[in-house]
């Protein structure tokens, strides 16, 4: 039956106290952030991209998500702010020469350094393992440690030489406060982009509507120039005698050929409006149209 040998139960077996809070292993938490993709939970491999909030992803995982957003994924809340491939930046990382890959401890008979990372800072040489803050530039995608940017203050990228601003610096895997700041900066940046697009559209529409107005003004100016030239022609000369002005026919009125003085009589006789073509009533014949009802 058991418990027949005079066993005495202990206090923790009878009294249930509060549950102990499970402590998360720091090394495992750092490895999950800096060695694995936030979306697919697979190991990071080139090409690696980062969003405007400083999260690391595999580029192929982001492309698969953008192609099919309706598919069920475990961590879709971390990519809700990503609307397209332009919202992520491909990182220009520096390889760590001390990184031997996954084959360095295949047998399990040697010490494995959990803090050894695949990438390092190209300026200071710190490993990108989570112990030190790292940042990337939105302009070029180069990755540096915060210590390098703090100690070597410059407005030109240390790696590629492209200029950058302070707003282009994004902290990778930052704290909650840092991510809130990055969220505000992202919203402001997108609002500015929207206003810029609207202003461009308005300018394009203004140019389109101004084109016919300019044509109307040109026609008005041309008509005004014609009126001024006619008035100058009719104005009296220096001798006081006015020049004779030829009457011009209206644009819509038709001029008879018989009234044209420059045409010859033979040319005018071709048309029915000539006097030779006119006939009297006696000369005109009566035309009768016969129909089947006539007979």
């Amino acid at each position: 039956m058991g418990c027949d040998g005079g066993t005495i139960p202990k206090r923790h077996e009878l009294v249930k106290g509060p549950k102990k809070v499970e402590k998360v292993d720091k090394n495992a938490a750092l490895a999950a952030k800096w060695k694995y993709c936030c979306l697919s939970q697979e190991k990071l491999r080139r090409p690696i991209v980062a969003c405007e909030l400083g999260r690391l992803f595999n580029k192929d995982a982001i492309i698969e998500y953008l192609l099919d957003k309706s598919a069920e994924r475990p961590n879709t809340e971390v990519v809700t702010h990503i609307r397209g491939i332009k919202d992520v930046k491909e990182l220009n990382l520096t390889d760590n020469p001390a990184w031997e890959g996954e084959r360095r401890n295949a047998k399990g008979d040697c010490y494995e350094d959990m803090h050894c990372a695949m990438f390092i800072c190209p300026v200071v040489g710190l490993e990108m393992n989570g112990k030190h803050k790292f940042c990337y530039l939105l302009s070029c995608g180069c990755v540096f440690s915060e210590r390098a940017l703090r100690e070597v203050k410059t407005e030109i990228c240390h790696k590629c030489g492209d200029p950058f601003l302070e707003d282009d610096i994004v902290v990778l895997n930052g704290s909650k406060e840092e991510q809130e700041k990055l969220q505000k900066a992202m919203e402001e940046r997108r609002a500015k982009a929207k206003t810029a697009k609207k202003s461009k559209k308005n300018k394009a529409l203004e140019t389109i509507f101004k084109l016919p107005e300019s044509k109307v003004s040109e026609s008005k100016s041309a008509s005004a120039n014609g009126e001024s030239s006619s008035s100058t022609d009719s104005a009296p000369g220096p001798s006081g005698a006015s020049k004779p002005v030829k009457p011009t026919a209206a644009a819509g009125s038709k001029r008879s050929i018989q009234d044209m003085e420059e045409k010859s009589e033979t040319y005018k006789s071709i048309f029915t409006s000539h006097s030779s073509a006119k006939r009297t009533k006696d000369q005109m014949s009566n035309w009768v149209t016969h129909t089947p009802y006539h007979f």
Side-chain angles (χ1 to χ4, degrees), residues 76-260:
T76 54
E77 65 275 1
V78 297
V79 290
T80 53
H81 61 286
I82 298 176
R83 303 166 300 178
I85 196 65
K86 292 183 179 180
D87 292 337
V88 294
K89 187 70 177 180
E90 186 173 346
L91 301 180
N92 186 8
L93 297 161
T94 304
D95 293 328
N96 184 7
W99 174 257
E100 297 178 359
E102 297 178 356
R103 299 179 182 178
R104 66 185 185 279
N105 193 14
K107 297 180 180 179
D109 55 351
C110 62
Y111 172 72
E112 182 178 359
D113 188 5
M114 296 294 295
H115 300 294
C116 185
M118 293 185 291
F119 310 107
I120 60 172
C121 174
V123 180
V124 185
L126 296 175
E127 294 185 355
M128 198 173 75
N129 52 14
K131 284 190 172 184
H132 309 280
K133 284 188 178 181
F134 272 74
C135 310
Y136 83 95
L137 305 178
L138 285 172
S139 56
C140 58
C142 296
V143 180
F144 303 97
S145 62
E146 190 184 23
R147 184 188 298 180
L149 295 175
R150 185 176 64 251
E151 292 180 356
V152 186
K153 294 183 179 180
T154 179
E155 296 179 354
I156 299 174
C157 179
H158 301 298
K159 192 170 184 179
C160 62
D162 291 342
F164 67 93
L165 302 173
E166 291 184 0
D167 297 336
D168 296 335
I169 300 174
V170 179
V171 180
L172 291 172
N173 291 327
S175 60
K176 290 183 179 180
E177 296 177 355
E178 291 173 342
Q179 287 190 358
E180 288 177 359
K181 291 181 181 179
L182 294 174
Q183 181 80 20
K184 292 180 181 178
M186 179 185 68
E187 292 174 357
E188 291 177 359
R189 199 180 299 113
R190 291 182 178 181
K192 288 180 181 179
K194 284 184 180 180
T195 53
K197 285 183 180 180
K198 287 182 180 179
S199 62
K200 286 182 180 179
K201 287 182 180 179
N202 293 333
K203 287 181 181 179
L205 292 173
E206 286 177 1
T207 53
I208 291 169
F209 286 117
K210 282 181 179 179
L211 285 175
E213 293 179 0
S214 61
K215 291 181 180 179
V216 170
S217 60
E218 288 176 2
S219 61
K220 287 182 179 179
S221 61
S223 61
N225 292 332
E227 290 176 359
S228 61
S229 62
S230 62
S231 62
T232 52
D233 292 340
S234 62
S239 59
S242 61
K243 295 181 180 179
V245 180
K246 295 181 179 180
T248 56
S253 62
K254 294 183 180 180
R255 188 180 176 187
S256 177
I257 297 173
Q258 306 300 328
D259 297 336
M260 295 180 181

Side-chain angles (χ1 to χ4, degrees), residues 258 268-278:
Q258 306 300 328
K268 293 178 181 180
S269 63
I270 298 173
F271 300 94
T272 57
S273 60
H274 193 258
S275 59
S276 61
K278 294 180 180 180

